[in-house]
Each structure stands twice: as structure tokens, then as C-alpha cells.
Amino acid sequence: MGKNRRQGRHSFTHNWMKPLNYEELINDRNLHFIEGHISDEEFGNLLNSVDFMLLNYKNITTSGMYFMTLAHNLPTIAPNIPFFKLHSSDKTTIFFDYNEPLGPQIIEIFNIINSGWKPDLEEFEKLKHVYNMKNSAKKISKAFNSLIQTIY
């Protein structure tokens, strides 16, 4: 894929001339799989050292991690679930089918990236204009007030 956007090292060391297999991806030293909670410090380090963020959610209504990647112009690999389809575009996100096995899709996504896919920086700016902290706070406040009125 080229050099890592933050640290100047290669992001993927695999020989792209031969077919990939999932086992090779798992053993690649430049791919890091993190499960569970990520501390604020660790997340900050991740944002500054990765080329892409894979968000493997099944069903969500919001994602602070996604909005942070958006704020940092960090392309996302995400499932084609409603949240991501609503809040991103194919110019900033590479989508995969959550209902299909992830391994073969990741191999295909890496092939797309290696073929020269680049995120559209203008699209990031458009999305950030809509999904900024001020607008998000207004939406949360509106939803909370609506909930309070419904209860009482």
C-alpha cells in the first residue's frame, strides 16, 4: 500500500504479486487486531499510527470511534450496516458485508487498497461539517429532551 501515513514505514509487507490467504494476514507484523475496550491513550496512539481503521460492528446506533476517525481523516473499513451507510460514503469508507465471512472480504479490501484506492479528502471535510461535536451535542440534547417529554 505504500508508506504508513504517520510513521513512514510500510503498512503491509506482504508480496502482493501472489494470492493472499487469511493465515498470512493474521501473521503479518503490520496488522494489529485489538479486541475489547481501548483506553484513551491507546486510541490516540492508534489514530496517529494507522492507515485504516477496521470497525467490525454488528449493529450500532452511534460510534465515537468512527467519529474520531472521521475527525482525523482516517479511512474506515466498516460493515454495510445502516449506521455506516448513513454517516459515511464510499469515498471515505470501504464497506464489507457483515453477513459474509470477514477473512476473504479483508483480502479483497487489501487488494482494493493496494490497487490505489485513496480516500477523498473533500468528502471528509463535507462529512466533518455535518458530523461535528456541536451538531452532535445538539442532536443528543434534542433526543434527550424528546425522551423526557415522552416519559413525563
Side-chain angles (χ1 to χ4, degrees), residues 18-41:
K18 64 180 183 172
L20 295 173
N21 68 52
Y22 192 55
E23 290 76 26
E24 289 180 75
L25 292 177
I26 291 172
N27 293 322
D28 189 319
R29 290 176 298 152
N30 291 310
L31 297 176
H32 302 280
F33 297 89
I34 301 170
E35 295 182 34
H37 177 75
I38 299 172
S39 71
D40 291 344
E41 180 180 342

Side-chain angles (χ1 to χ4, degrees), residues 42-83:
E42 186 177 15
F43 184 63
N45 290 335
L46 282 173
L47 287 175
N48 289 319
S49 65
V50 300
D51 295 308
F52 291 82
M53 185 70 73
L54 186 144
L55 302 175
N56 190 21
Y57 295 110
K58 183 176 182 178
N59 185 11
I60 58 171
T61 56
T62 190
S63 171
M65 185 171 284
Y66 168 72
F67 290 118
M68 291 297 290
T69 62
L70 180 65
H72 286 81
N73 293 345
L74 183 59
T76 305
I77 301 168
N80 57 353
I81 60 176
F83 172 82

Side-chain angles (χ1 to χ4, degrees), residues 3 13 20-21 27 36 46-47 49 54 58 62 75-76 78-79 83 96 100 120 123 128 130 132 135 142-143 149:
K3 294 194 182 254
T13 59
L20 295 173
N21 68 52
N27 293 322
L46 282 173
L47 287 175
S49 65
L54 186 144
K58 183 176 182 178
T62 190
T76 305
F83 172 82
F96 64 88
E100 297 295 325
D120 183 328
E123 188 70 13
K128 284 192 279 189
V130 174
N132 60 44
N135 289 344
K142 184 178 178 181
Q149 290 175 0

